[in-house]
């Protein structure tokens, strides 16, 4: 399990673990929509199996965003006297916006790794 997470964070191909899924080398802090390779440069593994394959990754992205928003609220509430201070909302919004690019890439990589053929 820890090896799979390391390969996901390294943007490695789920089939051969050599090629890259995204054209950008760093998946963490990029601006703009991700540019994916259609095939792995090393083993020619096709990343998008069918049209609409990554619709499910939107649900993974939503879950990541909600988890980050809740975690930000839990951490930020210690810095305010009231239980729910309205000044926490812009802090949560800034965290969600700055993490959006990473979440898109990470959720697509998770989706590919969840549905790869493990029987090989």
């Amino acid at each position: 399990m820890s090896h799979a997470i390391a390969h996901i964070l390294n943007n490695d191909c789920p089939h051969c673990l050599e090629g890259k899924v995204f054209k950008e080398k760093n998946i963490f802090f990029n601006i703009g929509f991700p540019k994916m390779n259609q095939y792995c440069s090393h083993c020619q593994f096709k990343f998008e199996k069918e049209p609409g394959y990554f619709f499910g990754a939107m649900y993974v992205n939503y879950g990541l965003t909600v988890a980050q928003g809740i975690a930000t609220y839990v951490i930020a509430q210690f810095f305010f006297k009231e239980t729910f201070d309205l000044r926490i909302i812009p802090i949560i919004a800034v965290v969600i916006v700055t993490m959006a690019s990473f979440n898109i890439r990470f959720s697509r990589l998770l989706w590919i790794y969840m549905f790869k053929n493990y029987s090989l």
Side-chain angles (χ1 to χ4, degrees), residues 73 76-88:
Y73 170 73
Q77 76 174 350
F78 293 115
F79 298 101
F80 297 97
K81 289 184 181 181
E82 297 180 24
T83 303
F84 186 75
D85 195 335
L86 291 177
R87 293 177 290 179
I88 294 176

Side-chain angles (χ1 to χ4, degrees), residues 25-56:
K25 300 293 182 202
N26 183 4
I27 68 163
F28 296 107
F29 297 109
N30 291 315
I31 297 174
F33 201 74
K35 295 170 184 69
M36 289 185 66
N37 295 319
Q38 281 190 314
Y39 296 94
C40 175
S41 61
H42 187 261
C43 69
Q44 300 304 315
F45 179 75
K46 185 174 182 181
F47 296 123
E48 187 171 0
K49 303 292 181 205
E50 59 190 21
Y53 178 71
F54 291 110
F55 282 147

